[in-house]
Amino acid sequence: MSPDLLAPLDLAFWNIESADHPMHLGALGIFSAPSPSAGAHAADLLAARAAGVPGLRMRIRDVWRPLDLRRPLADGLRHSLAHGLRRPLGFGGAAREPDPCFDPLHHVRLHAPAADFHAAAGRLMQRPLERNRPPWEAHVLPAADGTCFAVLFKFHHALADGLRALTLAAAVLDPVDLPERRPRPAEPPRGPLPDVRRLPALVRGALGDVGRALDIGARVARSTLVTRTTPALTAAPTGTRRTAGVVVDIDDVHLVRKAVGGTVNDVLIAVVAGALRRWLEERGESCEGLAPRALIPVSRRRPRTAHPQGNRLSGYLTELPVGVPDPLRRLTAVRAAMDRNKDAGPDRGAGAVALLADHVPALGHRLGGPLVGQAARLWFDILVTSVPLPGFGLRLGGHPLTAVYPFAPLARGQSLAVAISTYRGHVHYGLVADAKAVPDLDRLARAVSEEVETLITVCGP
């Protein structure tokens, strides 16, 4: 199998990582199990199944690929037009390839019984993945009382985005019977030259991509001129990690949505804004006029793309109305801001900065990765992302998955990230923070629950 070159955004995630800022996603799943030996059995199952999942055998290797001057002119024209100038050739790339020494037992680890799953998860999340092996891990944590066990999955963002990570994790859980999907009709083979009838559209698309890139770059530059006002979210990094989780009934979220309007996502983001206000006020910090910027990733993934494992992300940049004291006004402000983002579309605006990765040569990612990582603190204050989960129940060794908390990576200079998933009638908030900068993360988690209760009260009959 020939190496699969990383897509530009994957390469960016690979190069902005540092020892104190690992770029891996996480998910802490809790499985109900009445047997104290269930955790050990689960670890054995995960290791055995991982050996048969090709995506888990892939390591990432640096490659130095010079510009191929022997590329035929016609082929070069077709490549440039067909890909909209999005994947320029150059030095300093990286590729996925099967690891000939893959050992699943090295990636699946059984730990001693834990009294607090989140305390253990925080310590494990702060450890970077090994870059010379397939960049993923599964940590099995039996409960101290023997009533359940947890599995913390970690996937490097260069290996998988949220949807791909879910696919890889599901491949080592118990099989699920799904309806068959109709095969997609095969595309006709391409000739040595692009269809001349498509050339005008391809040229317009290429020029449009360049125009959008310039527009996004200008908006990003303007956004970084705004003075940061939330030191609690952008404290000096220490490389430590702490996690917390909150479960909310989806019916309560729908109750608020029906009373006020908007979308479920609007409500969930407004809850984050309200929780931040409660948390900061309890810390004794002033919230007057406070509007931290949240980066809200938007998936641009399409089924059966040329690189289904690659990251295809854009994003919205939204001010969270933390300084607004009234919960309904906060929700209205979030709804209005998200409507403006949707009207503009995910391919424009400062939040779409991820799209610029497609216009940077591989060597640029290698040399500029550290600088990009440091610039994140000037661009946004907090990441708030939604991670998709299936609507059906998942099991491991016959034991049902009862809760799952997604975790996002922390950008350099930022203290907090929030990931949200809906599973089996409940919304799960997964909070990741710098452990020393945010020692009171559990208080913020309680504030999420309190904000939901407040919204229900003001929206109820």
Side-chain angles (χ1 to χ4, degrees):
M1 179 185 297
S2 60
D4 176 31
L5 290 173
L6 294 190
L9 188 53
D10 301 340
L11 188 59
F13 284 130
W14 188 245
N15 283 298
I16 66 176
E17 180 175 66
S18 67
D20 288 340
H21 297 88
M23 292 303 298
H24 53 252
L25 312 170
L28 181 67
I30 314 296
F31 295 84
S32 175
S35 170
S37 63
H41 179 55
D44 292 339
L45 280 177
L46 291 172
R49 292 171 178 174
V53 180
L56 296 178
R57 304 177 66 93
M58 304 299 285
R59 68 179 180 182
I60 296 177
R61 180 174 62 88
D62 292 336
V63 295
W64 295 86
R65 186 177 67 143
L67 180 67
D68 188 358
L69 298 178
R70 297 170 298 174
R71 176 187 285 268
L73 179 61
D75 188 35
L77 175 64
R78 181 182 63 190
H79 179 275
S80 296
L81 293 177
H83 294 281
L85 303 178
R86 288 193 296 264
R87 304 192 72 177
L89 301 180
F91 295 93
R96 300 181 190 86
E97 64 178 10
D99 184 355
C101 301
F102 176 67
D103 179 8
L105 294 177
H106 185 81
H107 297 266
V108 179
R109 302 168 190 177
L110 176 65
H111 294 260
D116 184 338
F117 290 146
H118 279 289
R123 292 189 295 269
L124 293 169
M125 283 294 291
Q126 73 187 36
R127 294 185 349 201
L129 295 165
E130 296 180 71
R131 291 173 69 90
N132 61 338
R133 295 177 180 268
W136 69 275
E137 293 173 353
H139 298 270
V140 181
L141 306 165
D145 60 5
T147 61
C148 60
F149 65 89
V151 179
L152 174 67
F153 288 101
K154 294 168 57 180
F155 295 98
H156 199 288
H157 220 325
L159 178 70
D161 60 7
L163 185 57
R164 176 66 174 170
L166 171 64
T167 302
L168 293 173
V172 294
L173 300 180
D174 292 355
V176 177
D177 292 329
L178 297 175
E180 294 186 4
R181 302 172 67 178
R182 292 184 179 181
R184 189 178 185 182
E187 294 185 2
R190 295 180 179 178
L193 285 171
D195 187 339
V196 294
R197 293 170 298 182
R198 298 179 60 221
L199 282 176
L202 289 172
V203 171
R204 287 196 301 271
L207 294 176
D209 280 350
V210 173
R212 279 192 294 272
L214 294 174
D215 184 42
I216 293 168
R219 291 173 184 266
V220 170
R222 288 196 296 270
S223 71
T224 59
L225 297 177
V226 180
T227 303
R228 314 314 305 138
T229 56
T230 49
L233 301 179
T234 55
T238 67
T240 58
R241 293 292 181 270
R242 184 185 303 273
T243 74
V246 184
V247 181
V248 175
D249 194 313
I250 190 63
D251 289 340
D252 292 338
V253 178
H254 281 300
L255 185 152
V256 176
R257 178 191 61 81
K258 291 176 182 177
V260 181
T263 68
V264 166
N265 202 43
D266 294 341
V267 177
L268 299 179
I269 295 171
V271 166
V272 173
L276 288 174
R277 180 182 177 86
R278 292 171 181 272
W279 173 62
L280 291 170
E281 285 185 330
E282 186 166 306
R283 279 182 154 206
E285 299 185 28
S286 172
C287 294
E288 184 177 356
L290 195 59
R293 282 200 298 244
L295 175 63
I296 302 173
V298 177
S299 175
R300 299 173 65 245
R301 179 184 293 278
R302 296 179 180 177
R304 300 178 179 87
T305 57
H307 293 273
Q309 72 276 31
N311 284 276
R312 300 294 298 166
L313 294 172
S314 182
Y316 297 140
L317 205 61
T318 298
E319 290 188 350
L320 299 181
V322 173
V324 177
D326 179 75
L328 290 183
R329 287 183 56 207
R330 282 197 297 269
L331 178 50
T332 300
V334 167
R335 178 185 174 187
M338 291 300 292
D339 285 345
R340 288 193 295 271
N341 277 318
K342 293 170 189 174
D343 289 342
D347 295 342
R348 291 188 180 274
V353 70
L355 302 184
L356 297 182
D358 290 345
H359 299 267
V360 177
L363 184 60
H365 285 294
R366 181 179 294 276
L367 299 178
L371 295 176
V372 172
Q374 293 182 25
R377 66 191 307 171
L378 302 175
W379 172 40
F380 65 96
D381 300 297
I382 182 173
L383 178 73
V384 181
T385 183
S386 295
V387 182
L389 288 178
F392 50 82
L394 297 172
R395 293 175 175 268
L396 178 55
H399 303 295
L401 176 67
T402 58
V404 57
Y405 302 97
F407 300 134
L410 276 184
R412 185 185 298 271
Q414 295 179 334
S415 304
L416 178 66
V418 179
I420 309 169
S421 286
T422 300
Y423 176 72
R424 306 290 284 175
H426 292 86
V427 178
H428 294 78
Y429 284 84
L431 312 179
V432 176
D434 185 291
K436 293 184 179 179
V438 188
D440 53 347
L441 186 63
D442 289 342
R443 178 66 195 97
L444 177 58
R446 288 195 299 273
V448 170
S449 298
E450 292 166 358
E451 182 66 12
V452 173
E453 292 172 1
T454 297
L455 285 171
I456 293 172
T457 300
V458 297
C459 294

